Amino acid sequence: MSGSQRSPLLLAGLLAAAGVGHLVSPRQFDATIPRALPGKPRTWTYASGAVELALAAGVALPRTRRVAALAAAGFFVGVFPANVQMAVDWRHRPAVQRAAALGRLPLQVPLVLWARGVAKSGEGRS
């Protein structure tokens, strides 16, 4: 399997792992939900996990890969406020945790670019 064939599957695996994490251990994610969002954080956590699993399935399948990868790029942009919320909330935690929370912020850029690259490489395939 070439690198270009492996990349979508790795992205799908990342999305699936994140989705399972949201559903299996939701409490850690609840705290990152921006307070400005309506409803309960747990609802957003579960919805996020379900979306990640759906995106993983879509990216894994060549027929839906392009659209799902573009949606994943949008999703990565959309969850950025949760990462900002986490960095704000963790500003008084030990240095290692603060660094991890701050490190997540620029990580969104390569995730968005990766998803866009998968979408582009998936164009015209069925």
Side-chain angles (χ1 to χ4, degrees), residues 68-85:
L70 288 173
F75 180 80
F76 292 140
V77 170
V79 300
F80 185 74
N83 292 340
V84 171
Q85 183 71 55

Side-chain angles (χ1 to χ4, degrees), residues 2 35 60 74 100-101 104 106 115:
S2 74
R35 290 178 280 284
R104 289 175 61 123

Side-chain angles (χ1 to χ4, degrees), residues 20-115:
V20 169
H22 279 78
L23 299 176
V24 170
S25 188
R27 188 166 55 173
Q28 69 182 6
F29 296 99
D30 291 346
T32 68
I33 303 299
R35 290 178 280 284
L37 290 175
K40 296 181 181 197
R42 181 63 49 94
T43 303
W44 288 99
T45 297
Y46 284 151
S48 179
V51 168
E52 287 164 328
L53 290 174
L55 290 171
V59 169
L61 298 171
R63 179 179 225 151
T64 56
R65 181 167 295 147
R66 182 179 179 282
V67 171
L70 288 173
F75 180 80
F76 292 140
V77 170
V79 300
F80 185 74
N83 292 340
V84 171
Q85 183 71 55
M86 182 179 180
V88 169
D89 290 345
W90 286 24
R91 67 187 179 278
H92 300 297
R93 291 205 178 182
V96 172
Q97 290 179 329
R98 281 194 320 265
L102 289 171
R104 289 175 61 123
L105 299 177
L107 182 61
Q108 294 305 113
V109 173
L111 288 174
V112 170
L113 295 176
W114 183 15

Side-chain angles (χ1 to χ4, degrees), residues 110-125:
L111 288 174
V112 170
L113 295 176
W114 183 15
R116 286 184 58 210
V118 167
K120 186 175 180 182
S121 68
E123 287 180 6
R125 296 185 185 187

